[in-house]
Amino acid sequence: MIHSIHPNRFEPTDAMPEMTLARSDQLSTMANLVELEQGLYALEIGASPCMLGRVSGLQVPVVHVSALVNERQRSAEIIGTSGHGDGWLDREGGTVIVKSPAGGAHVLVTAYGLPAQAVSLPDIRVRRLDRPGSNGAAPRCPDPTGYPAGEPEEVRSEIVLHVERLGDRRYPGEGWVGNRGKKLRIEAFSIRPVDTLLARDIEFKALGPNGRQTPWVTDAKFCGTRGQGLPLTGFAIRLAPHAAERFDVVYQGAFFEGGVVGPHRNGELCIPPITDDPLEGINVRLIRRSHR
């Protein structure tokens, strides 16, 4: 559960105007302060509605996500972004994964735009990716189906892709990840459940050019290559036997020429109809079997 996590817009005062209107070489700014309890979160930043432009070589609008130090001299950890890295997102927005420490933390979302132009902040959606602990409460009894009480219908996951020219990119595993339609080749990937299951409960393998296949990989290790210019041309995902009794893994791949392939499930190979067609997007879901 998320408790009292709301983006709070800075209110303008006489000392701090709503936007900065300064010299022609200075950017206009606007910021939101996001308060997070301890846990793992995805901050989904929407598209920026501001005018396009360039200031001193910087393409605007852009959005920066940064962590503020709390009274305990601790700060949130920004551990992944679907933008350009280091918490920067372009006009299209994206997703930033943030780990908040014990006692909670604050994250500052700052939008930058053209000088002397009103800056509008994009929409911000905060989603919790982990599950709060039980705080010592007694475990609940299993339900009549034999599943642990409170077990979700769908397990959340985190996916890391190594993409040509972009390097490693970390995404919450909800919906499509990657760069569909941009023809940027996925060269390696890993998957990690963020609740209910453990990293060793999910296994995956990759296919490369000329029918090359990797062994099955687990524990959120990378599957594929880095820096060798070798695209993935297929993949498969399965669960360890004890987890497969409770959940299905269902997945699709998006390929340069073959488009979307699947859905496949539980270890089936996801390969395109065109030989050696590079993979550019992945969609993975971990679904409880009773809800097939």
Side-chain angles (χ1 to χ4, degrees):
M1 296 286 292
I2 301 176
H3 301 284
S4 301
I5 298 176
H6 304 288
N8 298 303
R9 182 179 295 273
F10 285 142
E11 294 296 331
T13 66
D14 292 339
M16 185 178 71
E18 184 179 4
M19 58 186 166
T20 301
L21 303 178
R23 299 194 310 266
S24 60
D25 61 343
Q26 290 187 341
L27 298 170
S28 298
T29 63
M30 175 63 79
N32 265 0
L33 192 63
V34 181
E35 182 178 0
L36 302 174
E37 292 184 342
Q38 179 180 359
L40 185 69
Y41 298 88
L43 271 62
E44 297 177 347
I45 313 297
S48 297
C50 307
M51 293 178 58
L52 282 171
R54 188 174 292 274
V55 179
S56 299
L58 175 67
Q59 183 74 46
V60 292
V62 292
V63 174
H64 187 238
V65 181
S66 57
L68 304 182
V69 177
N70 62 19
E71 63 273 10
R72 299 182 182 181
Q73 298 301 304
R74 302 185 66 183
S75 63
E77 178 185 2
I78 298 175
I79 60 178
T81 174
S82 61
H84 299 299
D86 300 324
W88 288 97
L89 300 170
D90 59 21
R91 186 190 189 192
E92 295 180 357
T95 301
V96 178
I97 307 299
V98 179
K99 184 177 182 180
S100 182
H106 291 83
V107 172
L108 190 66
V109 180
T110 306
Y112 296 87
L114 291 170
Q117 296 287 334
V119 179
S120 299
L121 275 165
D123 293 334
I124 302 172
R125 181 186 174 203
V126 180
R127 292 190 297 106
R128 186 157 193 164
L129 299 179
D130 60 352
R131 298 175 66 188
S134 61
N135 297 322
R140 296 163 62 186
C141 294
D143 66 23
T145 66
Y147 296 111
E151 190 168 73
E153 298 180 12
E154 185 165 352
V155 177
R156 294 174 179 173
S157 64
E158 180 182 84
I159 299 175
V160 181
L161 303 179
H162 183 80
V163 182
E164 66 169 325
R165 302 202 303 272
L166 299 180
D168 293 352
R169 289 290 184 266
R170 190 182 306 266
Y171 305 89
E174 297 185 0
W176 285 98
V177 300
N179 298 272
R180 290 178 63 192
K182 296 185 178 180
K183 295 195 182 316
L184 292 174
R185 301 180 300 181
I186 297 173
E187 298 177 351
F189 74 104
S190 74
I191 304 174
R192 179 181 70 87
V194 298
D195 60 39
T196 308
L197 301 176
L198 301 176
R200 64 174 178 265
D201 293 334
I202 189 167
E203 304 171 352
F204 39 94
K205 69 187 304 182
L207 283 72
N210 302 315
R212 174 181 58 89
Q213 293 192 30
T214 71
W216 288 100
V217 175
T218 189
D219 288 325
K221 296 177 182 177
F222 255 115
C223 183
T225 61
R226 283 185 174 118
Q228 298 184 29
L230 296 175
L232 299 188
T233 58
F235 66 99
I237 307 170
R238 69 185 184 189
L239 295 173
H242 67 278
E245 295 176 355
R246 297 150 51 205
F247 293 95
D248 284 318
V249 54
V250 182
Y251 43 93
Q252 298 170 282
F255 297 85
F256 277 25
E257 304 300 332
V260 174
V261 175
H264 294 284
R265 65 177 65 231
N266 302 331
E268 298 173 343
L269 289 179
C270 180
I271 54 177
I274 302 173
T275 302
D276 291 346
D277 192 7
L279 179 69
E280 64 178 358
I282 293 175
N283 185 6
V284 181
R285 297 181 66 191
L286 299 168
I287 306 171
R288 202 169 109 171
R289 277 187 174 270
S290 59
H291 291 267
R292 287 181 64 171

